[in-house]
Amino acid sequence: PTLYHYFGSKHGLLVALLNCYFGPFLENLRQSAIYQQRDITMTLERIAKTYFRFAAEQPEFYRLALAMMYAPAESEVSKTMYPILEQQYQILANGFLQAEKDHGNMRGRSNHYTITFLGMINSYITTHFYGHVTLTDESAYLACKQFMHGIFS
């Protein structure tokens, strides 16, 4: 009865939980993704560090979020998670769009870069959970360096 009193339903509890954790994270991500000084590498490194810190500080929640990201599309969990994923995607896509103005070889590819970069970040985090990599500032730097090599080559 207490759950229903405060949250209305299990779905209400899930929404409250997602907002509790993702609210501050999304604000940090917005700040990290501000494209400055015509330096896409620095911006991406800040973004990667933001994700890595969040996953390192909230490992159980991030594992749960990863599982929810891959829930069947028609499920209530997937529909609840979608707006949060969409916000992350839009924040990163906006950064790539801004960088296109300074880096001609990026034009028209911001959606692909966004998808690939998010995939890389979540691959690093998943690999961290299995003990194969540590989520440090250096690993964020190396991941972004490798990613940027693909853009600038």
Side-chain angles (χ1 to χ4, degrees):
T2 303
L3 175 114
Y4 292 100
H5 174 74
Y6 288 104
F7 302 104
S9 65
K10 290 182 217 174
H11 180 259
L13 175 61
L14 177 60
V15 169
L17 182 67
L18 292 176
N19 289 336
C20 177
Y21 283 96
F22 275 120
F25 167 73
L26 288 170
E27 185 52 40
N28 289 338
L29 185 61
R30 278 185 197 87
Q31 294 303 312
S32 298
I34 295 172
Y35 179 64
Q36 298 173 349
Q37 301 170 355
R38 304 178 71 173
D39 191 342
I40 185 65
T41 305
M42 179 182 70
T43 302
L44 294 179
E45 192 175 336
R46 280 195 321 264
I47 291 167
K49 287 176 184 179
T50 299
Y51 273 95
F52 285 9
R53 265 188 243 109
F54 182 55
E57 292 170 2
Q58 304 295 339
E60 294 86 8
F61 178 77
Y62 206 92
R63 281 180 182 253
L64 174 66
L66 284 171
M68 290 188 299
M69 285 180 207
Y70 297 105
E74 66 280 353
S75 70
E76 191 170 343
V77 168
S78 179
K79 291 175 184 173
T80 305
M81 191 67 182
Y82 179 79
I84 292 166
L85 295 175
E86 184 62 23
Q87 285 182 64
Q88 292 176 54
Y89 180 86
Q90 290 303 323
I91 290 167
L92 297 187
N94 185 51
F96 282 114
L97 279 171
Q98 290 175 0
E100 282 183 7
K101 297 170 190 166
D102 297 326
H103 304 283
N105 61 332
M106 292 178 67
R107 285 196 181 95
R109 301 186 209 170
S110 60
N111 288 334
H112 296 289
Y113 288 138
T114 301
I115 293 164
T116 305
F117 192 65
L118 274 172
M120 181 199 69
I121 287 171
N122 282 321
S123 291
Y124 266 78
I125 292 169
T126 300
T127 304
H128 165 75
F129 290 146
Y130 289 106
H132 297 291
V133 75
T134 305
L135 299 177
T136 62
D137 287 352
E138 181 182 4
S139 61
Y141 167 78
L142 293 172
C144 292
K145 182 178 177 183
Q146 181 65 38
F147 184 82
M148 292 308 298
H149 178 72
I151 290 176
F152 293 135
S153 62

